[in-house]
Amino acid sequence: MNKNTSFSFELFPPRVNEELRNIDEILENLKDLNADFISVTFGAGGSKKSNFTLDIAQLIEQKYQTKSIVHLPCIHFSKEEIAKFLTHCKDRNLKNILALRGDMSKDLKASKDFSYASDLVEFIKQNGDFNIFGACYPETHNESKNCIEDIHNLKIKVDKGADKLITQLFFDNNDFYNFKQNCALSGIKAPIYAGIMPITNKRQILKITQLCGAKLPPKFLKILEKYKHNDKALADAGIAYAVDQIVDLITNGVDGIHLYIMNKAYVARRIYEATYSLFYDKIGA
Ligand code: FAD
C-alpha cells in the first residue's frame, strides 16, 4: 500500500501533571490510525513552560513509535534559552521542530534575539540537525498588509530552511488553492499540509476563529446556527464538513492533512474511518 498523502494530528499539552495520563489515553486511542506524525503545541496563550510538550513528544516517539513534531515559539525567548531547548530535544532524540514566532503576551517581554519565525529557523539550522517545519496562512496572517507581503515573508522562512509547511485552519478550500498557487508563483516548493479543524462545539470554534482570524463560510455558519442546541448533531455535521473538505483536498492533490483534533481521539477516528482509503493509491489485492 503506497501512502500518497500525509495524515497527522495536533495535540496540546495539559495544564497539570495529573492530566498527562489523559494524553496517554488519547494516544492509545489514536495508535491504530496510522498517523504519519503527531505535533504537540507549546506556549499557546503565551506560556514559557515546555516540559509537557517535550514529555508528550517523547511518549509519542518511544511508546507509540510515531514521529512527533515539537512546536517551538520564539518571541519570548533568548538565543541561550532556545539553545538549551534544542539540547533537551537532542537529549530526547526529538528531531522535528515546528519553528514559530508565537503570539505576543502582554505579561512577557519580547525577545531581543528573535522577531520572526525565520530568525528561529536560521538559528535552529545553525544549532543542530533538525527537520524544520513552518506555519503558513491560506487566508493571510492577520498582521500582514496583504497576501503578497505574507507570501514574500513565507518565502524567506522557506529559504532559511523550513522545508515543510503546515497551514492555519481554514474552512473554504478555495482559500487554500489560491494560496498554493501564489506559493508556487513565488517559488515556494515545500510540501504544504492543510490544517483542518472539525468543529464539535460552537463556543470553541467561535473562540478559535476569533483568535486566528479564519473566516466562516455561509454554509458553515448555517450548520452552527441550525445545530447550536444539539451538540451531537453539531459534532456530526462538523465532522461531515471536515470530511467533505478532506475529500476535495485529496482529490486535488494536497500533500497532507493535519487535523486539529482538540485532543479528541474520537474525532480523529471518525475522520479516519470516513477517509482512510483516500490517503493510499491502492488498497487491498
Ligand atoms: P512568522 O512567520 O514570523 O510571521 C508572523 C508575521 O510576521 C506575518 O504577518 C509575516 O508576514 C510577518 N513576517 C514574517 N517574516 C517577516 C520579515 N522578515 N519581515 C517582516 N515581516 C515578517 N503559537 C504558539 O504559541 N504555540 C504553538 O504551539 C502554535 N502552533 C501553531 C501551529 C500552526 C500550524 C500554526 C499555523 C500556528 C501556530 N501557532 C502557535 C500560532 C503562531 O505562533 C501565530 O500565528 C503567530 O502569530 C505567527 O507565527 P509564525 O510562526 O507564522 O510567524
Side-chain angles (χ1 to χ4, degrees):
M1 286 196 307
N2 282 334
K3 204 168 188 184
N4 287 333
T5 312
S6 166
F7 182 54
S8 56
F9 312 125
E10 179 189 277
L11 292 182
F12 59 85
R15 278 177 224 274
V16 290
N17 230 340
E18 295 70 53
E19 288 174 19
L20 268 180
R21 241 178 296 124
N22 297 350
I23 296 284
D24 195 21
E25 246 169 63
I26 295 166
L27 288 169
E28 196 61 46
N29 283 317
L30 294 176
K31 77 177 179 197
D32 59 332
L33 304 189
N34 301 326
D36 291 283
F37 63 87
I38 299 177
S39 80
V40 190
T41 67
F42 168 17
S47 156
K48 284 185 78 175
K49 293 191 190 129
S50 66
N51 272 357
F52 288 159
T53 298
L54 294 179
D55 291 344
I56 295 167
Q58 199 174 3
L59 187 69
I60 292 168
E61 297 261 352
Q62 289 183 354
K63 183 167 173 191
Y64 294 98
Q65 300 288 305
T66 299
K67 179 165 133 183
S68 71
I69 296 183
V70 172
H71 293 208
L72 175 56
C74 61
I75 193 64
H76 301 298
F77 290 107
S78 63
K79 278 187 177 168
E80 292 72 29
E81 288 171 313
I82 295 287
K84 209 165 147 193
F85 184 91
L86 295 178
T87 305
H88 290 314
C89 288
K90 284 179 211 160
D91 292 346
R92 294 172 185 238
N93 210 19
L94 302 171
K95 294 197 155 78
N96 307 295
I97 296 186
L98 174 56
L100 297 153
R101 186 198 68 182
D103 284 319
M104 289 292 289
S105 157
K106 330 188 251 339
D107 308 322
L108 297 168
K109 264 200 186 151
S111 170
K112 59 182 174 12
D113 296 325
F114 303 101
S115 303
Y116 301 109
S118 50
D119 303 330
L120 177 63
V121 170
E122 191 170 30
F123 186 79
I124 297 172
K125 273 269 162 208
Q126 292 160 353
N127 284 276
D129 185 18
F130 292 99
N131 303 312
I132 308 175
F133 290 66
C136 62
Y137 302 83
E139 294 180 62
T140 305
H141 186 262
N142 50 20
E143 291 165 35
S144 280
K145 275 198 229 104
N146 53 52
C147 67
I148 297 170
E149 180 189 280
D150 205 31
I151 289 182
H152 169 80
N153 293 330
L154 181 61
K155 175 85 164 62
I156 298 175
K157 185 154 66 179
V158 170
D159 288 347
K160 286 198 173 168
D163 40 34
K164 288 187 179 125
L165 299 171
I166 303 179
T167 77
Q168 183 59 279
L169 59 99
F170 61 89
F171 298 102
D172 183 342
N173 288 357
N174 288 323
D175 291 326
F176 179 80
Y177 298 135
N178 291 336
F179 169 74
K180 258 203 97 165
Q181 199 173 21
N182 288 335
C183 285
L185 288 172
S186 321
I188 295 174
K189 296 199 177 95
I192 304 175
Y193 299 151
I196 299 295
M197 178 179 276
I199 37 152
T200 52
N201 88 56
K202 187 175 177 183
R203 228 176 7 161
Q204 163 211 326
I205 204 69
L206 292 180
K207 193 171 156 208
I208 286 168
T209 50
Q210 222 172 19
L211 279 175
C212 74
K215 71 171 188 282
L216 301 174
K219 179 176 164 187
F220 189 89
L221 284 168
K222 240 178 161 172
I223 292 174
L224 285 182
E225 188 51 32
K226 171 108 178 145
Y227 304 112
K228 65 183 174 195
H229 300 305
N230 182 345
D231 292 349
K232 174 86 178 62
L234 183 62
D236 281 348
I239 287 167
Y241 189 97
V243 166
D244 199 33
Q245 274 191 285
I246 292 167
V247 171
D248 183 64
L249 287 163
I250 298 180
T251 305
N252 284 288
V254 73
D255 297 305
I257 300 290
H258 189 59
L259 285 184
Y260 295 111
I261 59 171
M262 301 303 287
N263 289 6
K264 292 181 179 129
Y266 82 89
V267 171
R269 180 165 298 281
R270 290 204 34 202
I271 301 273
Y272 172 81
E273 282 168 357
T275 61
Y276 80 94
S277 63
L278 310 183
F279 288 84
Y280 298 88
D281 63 357
K282 200 172 169 198
I283 287 196

